[in-house]
Amino acid sequence: MARHPAQPETVNILIVGQMGRLAYEALLFALSLRHSTKDPRFKLFVAEPRSGPMWRTDPTIRPEPLREMLQSQGATILPFQTNHFGSDYPYGNKIEALFAMPKGERFIFFDTDTLVTGELGDVPFDFSRPSASLRVEGTWPQIELYGPGYSEIWQSLYNRFGLNFESSLDLEQPDEYWRRYLYFNAGFFYYTCPHVFGQEFLEMALSIWKEPPPELVCQQLMPWLDQIALPLVIHKLGGGRNALPEGYLDGQTTVHYRNMPLLFARESDAVVDLLEEISAPNPIKRLLKDYEPFKRMIYQNRGHKVRDLFDREHLPTREQPIRQKIKKNGFWMV
């Protein structure tokens, strides 16, 4: 009998959408994905937290035309139950939503404040070796005078979960410099199964949150909890900082813009052109204008006024001075 060719494996893309900013960002993400990635293996899921006791207000995506537009762009809206975080720590959505995804199928999680700018099918993923975003600054831990240093803090976490701390270090970086230690932004991450990844992520995050090691006594866990637990999960599952070649995610294939003023300040002309192209059709415009930062930045030209403030060939290396300059000129919006 003739053998049928193997079907290409699906790659499920997960973002979280809920009432407010994330819903509008989710639509932009979906538009950019459909525009830039033609590979049919990639399927978009927009995870939506169900209303319940963990939420102070109803988080479901509204208005209805926005839901319908998301679905028209190929997105599957995926309700999920919030059992642990909710309003107290909405970043926990990215952990709890993983359990609503198809079990045993490869996935990529993206923050909604991301644009897909290239073909995801060209990214050389090794899903058996997870990784996450290295577009990150040394936001955690913040070292206090007379308190524990980086090594002592991070080693206490690796010890908590029975992980080898020394094998996680980048020995080309100096001792007690934050880049020596495995640390990611949680703007994207991926693996072979969302349930396996999610179970490790949930257990580690809850353990740190409910009973932090003594070495963390001086440290803020909010809003950094997901980024504290994430490197531990990736290390345990056999991934690391070099699992994905540079230049694709947070590069030529995706852009994690964070908010509209920062997008116009920092990103390339090609990214701005893409944003303006996908947001231009009148049915899209009518929806996106309901979100004030999109209305002001995209449609009322404030984005280009922000852009004129900066020389993108000589941007500050840290994000804070960029934010301060935007705020000083009255253009900051979130």
Side-chain angles (χ1 to χ4, degrees):
M1 293 180 64
R3 300 180 65 180
H4 295 287
Q7 295 298 310
E9 290 188 74
T10 297
V11 181
N12 296 320
I13 297 175
L14 171 64
I15 61 175
V16 175
Q18 66 186 74
M19 176 64 177
R21 174 178 63 87
L22 296 187
Y24 293 97
E25 290 178 347
L27 178 54
L28 267 187
F29 181 96
L31 291 163
S32 71
L33 175 66
R34 192 167 193 180
H35 177 278
S36 302
T37 289
K38 307 303 182 185
D39 191 324
R41 293 177 300 158
F42 292 88
K43 310 296 184 184
L44 176 60
F45 292 84
V46 180
E48 176 189 56
R50 289 191 177 101
S51 183
M54 301 298 294
W55 294 99
R56 288 186 281 274
T57 58
D58 183 358
T60 53
I61 296 171
R62 299 186 299 281
E64 188 62 28
L66 181 54
R67 297 177 67 89
E68 293 171 356
M69 186 63 75
L70 274 168
Q71 292 168 318
S72 76
Q73 299 304 312
T76 298
I77 295 180
L78 189 68
F80 71 95
Q81 193 65 43
T82 304
N83 297 313
H84 301 282
F85 298 107
S87 295
D88 289 342
Y89 188 65
Y91 298 99
N93 279 342
K94 67 181 65 176
I95 302 174
E96 298 199 69
L98 292 168
F99 296 100
M101 292 286 282
K103 190 174 184 179
E105 296 186 7
R106 302 180 300 172
F107 80 94
I108 313 166
F109 169 86
F110 288 104
D111 274 346
T112 52
D113 51 355
T114 300
L115 294 178
V116 180
T117 54
E119 175 58 70
L120 282 170
D122 293 339
V123 180
F125 291 105
D126 178 353
F127 285 92
S128 68
R129 297 187 63 220
S131 195
S133 175
L134 291 171
R135 191 177 185 182
V136 63
E137 297 179 359
T139 47
W140 194 93
Q142 292 296 307
I143 304 304
E144 301 289 338
L145 189 64
Y146 308 120
Y150 285 99
S151 289
E152 194 173 352
I153 290 169
W154 279 114
Q155 184 156 25
S156 73
L157 291 166
Y158 282 77
N159 291 347
R160 162 72 63 89
F161 302 109
L163 303 175
N164 185 300
F165 172 61
E166 286 74 19
S167 64
S168 74
L169 300 175
D170 181 354
L171 299 180
E172 295 184 0
Q173 302 292 339
D175 192 29
E176 292 301 312
Y177 176 53
W178 71 270
R179 288 194 181 275
R180 184 179 177 92
Y181 310 91
L182 200 61
Y183 188 56
F184 300 102
N185 182 277
F188 76 79
F189 51 84
Y190 58 86
Y191 190 53
T192 55
C193 174
H195 291 244
V196 173
F197 196 99
Q199 191 61 44
E200 297 289 352
F201 208 171
L202 180 64
E203 290 178 2
M204 290 181 180
L206 288 176
S207 174
I208 296 165
W209 193 21
K210 293 181 177 181
E211 192 179 353
E215 289 82 358
L216 273 62
V217 65
C218 298
Q219 298 299 323
Q220 292 289 330
L221 299 183
M222 305 300 169
W224 312 116
L225 179 64
D226 59 330
Q227 293 189 185
I228 299 167
L230 183 59
L232 306 171
V233 177
I234 286 173
H235 187 67
K236 182 171 183 178
L237 295 177
R241 58 176 65 81
N242 298 318
L244 183 69
E246 292 183 23
Y248 291 95
L249 303 193
D250 292 334
Q252 67 191 36
T253 313
T254 67
V255 169
H256 187 195
Y257 60 86
R258 301 180 192 270
N259 61 41
M260 276 295 130
L262 287 174
L263 185 153
F264 279 98
R266 297 191 298 192
E267 305 304 340
S268 68
D269 290 346
V271 170
V272 173
D273 290 345
L274 170 65
L275 169 67
E276 293 179 339
E277 179 180 350
I278 63 176
S279 61
N282 283 328
I284 302 297
K285 184 187 300 186
R286 282 195 293 271
L287 291 169
L288 294 183
K289 284 176 71 174
D290 287 341
Y291 180 52
E292 196 72 8
F294 287 4
K295 176 182 177 180
R296 301 294 184 191
M297 290 287 152
I298 301 173
Y299 300 113
Q300 295 185 349
N301 206 40
R302 290 194 184 182
H304 283 277
K305 292 179 180 178
V306 170
R307 198 160 180 79
D308 291 342
L309 297 174
F310 296 93
D311 175 0
R312 270 154 298 284
E313 297 298 320
H314 301 91
L315 286 171
T317 56
R318 296 180 63 251
E319 187 175 291
Q320 189 61 29
I322 300 174
R323 288 173 175 256
Q324 289 173 341
K325 188 169 185 178
I326 297 170
K327 289 175 182 178
K328 182 180 178 181
N329 284 273
F331 294 126
W332 186 252
M333 302 186 78
V334 292

